[in-house]
Amino acid sequence: TKNNTVLDLFNEQVKNTPEAVALQYGNIHLSYHDLDEKSNQLANYLLKHKKESNEIIGICVHRSVGMIIGLLGILKSGKAYMPIDPDFPVDRVQYMLEEAKIKTVISSSSSQDVLKDITGLDLILLDVDKETIVKESGETPDLSISPGDLAYVMYTSGSTGRPKGVKIAHHNLFNLIRNQIDYFRIDHSDRI
């Protein structure tokens, strides 16, 4: 398990239980197969339009099915994500984007208000750009993602008054998930 990523765990679950409910939000349910396909479409869209490797992509979406598709799609494209709370003040968001050198942000029409006055961003709106994204292949991109690759950047509140970015690699995320599964004895009947 030293060479695994969280995507390996997800792919294993898709293979073992493709029709099981992977995600429920309100009255929306997605099976592992459907979540896999939708996140692959976004990953393939990102690979076609965002050529930089090791790019960090912002994700500014309220809690939703789109948030999970976005996170998985970014990871599957070999890029890292940086969550941005749509309710943060504009100056904090602008600082985070500039410091992390974010050029692309995935958002939605209902979550993008905090980004409207920030120039130079390439916005991908999950709802508005949906018709273009779903035209992409639902197959998993053929990429080699290693445990040491960056998975995400999380900004802390910052003890100095300025938010501070913390980089988390795939192996860190994998270890956290495996530990939580073991420690809390999580099995197929649990909902998180």
Side-chain angles (χ1 to χ4, degrees), residues 10-191:
F10 180 75
N11 290 335
E12 182 180 319
Q13 197 64 45
V14 171
K15 182 181 171 188
N16 292 338
T17 60
E19 298 310 316
V21 174
L23 179 60
Q24 177 182 344
Y25 186 79
N27 60 355
I28 300 171
H29 297 78
L30 282 184
S31 68
Y32 279 99
H33 173 269
D34 292 341
L35 180 56
D36 185 45
E37 183 177 59
K38 288 178 184 306
S39 59
N40 287 339
Q41 288 170 328
L42 179 59
N44 286 311
Y45 176 86
L46 291 171
L47 287 167
K48 187 182 277 184
H49 295 89
K50 306 294 160 201
K51 304 294 186 196
E52 290 184 41
S53 59
N54 300 320
E55 183 178 2
I56 302 169
I57 295 182
I59 182 159
C60 182
V61 181
H62 287 102
R63 288 180 189 251
S64 62
V65 169
M67 174 190 272
I68 304 303
I69 292 169
L71 296 175
L72 277 171
I74 292 168
L75 291 175
K76 288 178 175 193
S77 73
K79 300 173 188 329
Y81 68 85
M82 184 181 82
I84 302 164
D85 188 327
D87 297 322
F88 276 168
V90 174
D91 58 338
R92 178 182 169 113
V93 171
Q94 186 157 9
Y95 172 80
M96 290 166 49
L97 291 169
E98 287 172 3
E99 185 176 91
K101 297 176 178 58
I102 304 275
K103 296 176 187 156
T104 303
V105 178
I106 293 174
S107 191
S108 68
S109 55
S110 65
S111 301
Q112 70 170 335
D113 285 350
V114 72
L115 305 167
K116 283 186 177 177
D117 295 328
I118 300 174
T119 58
L121 283 182
D122 180 14
L123 279 180
I124 298 169
L125 301 178
L126 292 172
D127 50 349
V128 174
D129 298 322
K130 181 179 181 177
E131 293 307 314
T132 306
I133 294 168
V134 299
K135 290 178 183 172
E136 297 298 331
S137 169
E139 296 298 314
T140 303
D142 186 20
L143 292 176
S144 177
I145 299 170
S146 28
D149 289 347
L150 185 63
Y152 68 95
V153 176
M154 179 67 67
Y155 270 77
T156 67
S157 58
S159 57
T160 63
R162 293 297 245 171
K164 179 182 171 189
V166 178
K167 295 179 177 183
I168 307 296
H170 278 270
H171 65 84
N172 300 116
L173 183 57
F174 178 85
N175 289 337
L176 173 68
I177 290 170
R178 289 301 317 160
N179 269 342
Q180 288 183 343
I181 289 170
D182 294 343
Y183 183 80
F184 294 110
R185 298 185 187 122
I186 297 171
D187 64 25
H188 69 279
S189 65
D190 292 310
R191 302 292 176 259

